[in-house]
Amino acid sequence: TQLLEQSPQFLSIQEGENLTVYCNSSSVFSSLQWYRQEPGEGPVLLVTVVTGGEVKKLKRLTFQFGDARKDSSLHITAAQPGDTGLYLCAGAPGSGYSTLTFGKGTMLLVSP
Amino acid sequence: SAVISQKPSRDICQRGTSLTIQCQVDSQVTMMFWYRQQPGQSLTLIATANQGSEATYESGFVIDKFPISRPNLTFSTLTVSNMSPEDSSIYLCSGWWRGQGGYTFGSGTRLTVV
């Protein structure tokens, strides 16, 4: 069974601070996805990374896939209250259809 | 991008009863899945809903407790049967389209069993 260790589990910061969330595994993934979930809603896909060493940017969010495709990170610059939510990483073991392995999630609270 | 409409959004049910959750997709979807989630925590896969055949259940989940239907490529239901308070959770459906990088989720059903 492939496992994804996500850290930290909870993060409470002030507006304007930077933060990084980590997602690590001993297994290789074909791709890794990051989702954000707000209360009362389903997870929303932020990005999918598929190539080892790949870096993708989405405004103030920077996603990186490790060279060995076993880990990933999400960095948020100058966090805003609107960034508050549950961040989930999910790994796909194969290309095409794959049952996702989800990390335990990081609950981020950004205070004004 | 595709939209998945899930209902009900929440319900409070008596123990021993059953609740059916519906998911309607606005386009034909390759794969559909059902997940369970405790508030603020990660997702646990219940089963893969197969069109026209029996669902594929994950370890710890059985068809008698969580019967699933998927009569066509745009619709699926999950029933939580003979409910107990331990079934209180958020239930989510999701879809995956061939060529799409990630999954699309419904907004979830928050179930409370009393």
Side-chain angles (χ1 to χ4, degrees), chain A residues 15-70:
Chain A
E15 182 176 3
E17 293 184 32
N18 302 331
L19 67 116
T20 302
V21 178
Y22 299 94
C23 197
N24 298 296
S25 176
S26 59
S27 304
V28 175
F29 290 99
S30 174
S31 68
L32 203 137
Q33 303 160 24
W34 285 92
Y35 295 82
R36 180 170 69 208
Q37 184 178 22
E38 299 183 17
E41 298 294 329
V44 175
L45 179 68
L46 295 173
V47 77
T48 300
V49 285
V50 297
T51 305
E54 182 177 7
V55 176
K56 282 191 174 180
K57 292 193 175 184
L58 187 65
K59 297 182 180 178
R60 293 176 291 100
L61 279 61
T62 301
F63 305 86
Q64 186 164 8
F65 201 14
D67 291 340
R69 289 186 288 128
K70 294 182 179 181

Side-chain angles (χ1 to χ4, degrees), chain B residues 1-110:
Chain B
S1 58
V3 174
I4 298 180
S5 300
Q6 184 173 343
K7 61 180 181 181
S9 58
R10 58 177 61 230
D11 207 342
I12 301 173
C13 300
Q14 297 290 324
R15 66 175 68 202
T17 63
S18 297
L19 175 71
T20 296
I21 302 167
Q22 299 181 3
C23 271
Q24 179 73 53
V25 191
D26 66 354
S27 64
Q28 292 186 349
V29 59
T30 309
M31 305 293 295
M32 288 187 76
F33 308 92
W34 287 95
Y35 287 87
R36 186 167 69 183
Q37 182 185 32
Q38 295 299 327
Q41 298 186 24
S42 191
L43 281 67
T44 300
L45 180 64
I46 298 172
T48 302
N50 300 309
Q51 191 261 326
S53 65
E54 191 173 289
T56 304
Y57 289 84
E58 297 299 304
S59 176
F61 298 96
V62 295
I63 187 172
D64 290 345
K65 177 66 176 178
F66 298 101
I68 288 170
S69 78
R70 191 183 172 196
N72 55 53
L73 293 175
T74 63
F75 186 78
S76 180
T77 67
L78 166 75
T79 299
V80 186
S81 303
N82 188 25
M83 289 183 286
S84 66
E86 291 71 36
D87 296 320
S88 297
S89 190
I90 300 168
Y91 292 85
L92 293 148
C93 62
S94 71
W96 177 80
W97 285 256
R98 197 176 304 281
Q100 174 179 290
Y103 287 24
T104 297
F105 285 83
S107 56
T109 296
R110 191 172 197 125

